[in-house]
Amino acid sequence: MWPSLSVLAGLLFSLGGDADRKPVQVYILAGQSNMEGHGQVRSLETLGEISEHRILFNSLRNESGGWAVRDDVFISWEDRRPQSGALSVGWGRNEKSIGPEFSFGTVMGDVFDAPVLLIKTAWGGKDVYCDFRSPSAGAPTKHEQALLDREAENGSKREVGAYYHRMVLEIQRALEGIEDLVPGYAGEGDELAGLAWFQG
């Protein structure tokens, strides 16, 4: 039996408080060492000296001249301590470095009228043909298998696709625990807005 129009209207009215809450915009930032981020925070200062980059540089600063800490863009990275927090400098390989997340997250935060979550999953020294190999890529080719066999003979046996599966698990865990990663999250849901891959 279908509910009456008055019942439906009542339900919509009761949910009206959340109707304006937009889903969290989720971006996956994945890859190898360049996605980890080895850029030096001090190198950002040069942006302010170049006229075409000055608008971006200014958006990275707060009113007192320090580096901005976003209250609408958050990051999750299991490989770091702390593993999550508000976006600012220091989310590269260590607290004195930056990666693509800083400027990318700043731009996305300015574009969307909704919280943004960056799920970062990256490890240096990994390749696509073995470490990040997707199951849909099939088994390694004869040439690729020969390379892996040669490595194994030298005591360096690798599991094909190990970091692909690890990446997927980290993304799943972040999405399952999104309420702990995005302050103020109230069940408005999430939208996978994109994936950025940075290799090499």
Side-chain angles (χ1 to χ4, degrees):
M1 181 174 174
W2 292 98
S4 68
L5 287 176
S6 60
V7 171
L8 286 174
L11 284 171
L12 289 172
F13 180 78
S14 67
L15 294 173
D18 290 331
D20 292 335
R21 296 181 69 90
K22 297 183 173 77
V24 177
Q25 300 298 298
V26 178
Y27 285 91
I28 311 302
L29 304 183
Q32 205 235 29
S33 56
N34 284 343
M35 185 56 83
E36 283 185 310
H38 294 270
Q40 299 300 306
V41 173
R42 65 178 182 271
S43 66
L44 288 172
E45 297 288 353
T46 60
L47 281 176
E49 300 169 6
I50 304 171
S51 59
E52 64 258 37
H53 299 311
R54 198 162 293 136
I55 292 175
L56 174 60
F57 175 77
N58 291 338
S59 70
L60 302 176
R61 293 289 205 178
N62 58 30
E63 292 179 359
S64 61
W67 297 113
V69 178
R70 301 289 303 212
D71 62 2
D72 56 349
V73 182
F74 309 95
I75 187 165
S76 170
W77 190 12
E78 288 191 15
D79 226 34
R80 279 288 315 277
R81 296 292 182 273
Q83 292 182 327
S84 62
L87 181 68
S88 187
V89 297
W91 280 103
R93 183 64 262 173
N94 58 54
E95 68 280 356
K96 295 181 180 179
S97 61
I98 55 169
E101 75 288 333
F102 189 39
S103 57
F104 180 84
T106 297
V107 172
M108 292 301 104
D110 290 343
V111 166
F112 288 106
D113 184 22
V116 174
L117 174 63
L118 308 176
I119 302 175
K120 193 167 173 177
T121 174
W123 299 272
K126 304 296 179 276
D127 55 48
V128 177
Y129 88 91
C130 176
D131 299 313
F132 282 115
R133 192 182 192 92
S134 163
S136 65
T141 65
K142 183 176 179 181
H143 173 70
E144 291 167 340
Q145 190 58 56
L147 293 174
L148 294 171
D149 291 343
R150 195 174 310 127
E151 287 181 9
E153 289 171 4
N154 293 325
S156 179
K157 184 172 175 56
R158 291 191 287 159
E159 179 186 345
V160 175
Y163 282 85
Y164 174 87
H165 293 293
R166 188 171 168 184
M167 173 183 68
V168 171
L169 281 173
E170 290 193 358
I171 294 167
Q172 288 175 335
R173 282 194 289 257
L175 292 175
E176 289 168 1
I178 196 168
E179 68 277 3
D180 298 321
L181 301 174
V182 179
Y185 181 81
E188 56 269 35
D190 57 80
E191 181 175 284
L192 188 56
L195 180 147
W197 182 275
F198 207 163
Q199 178 76 16

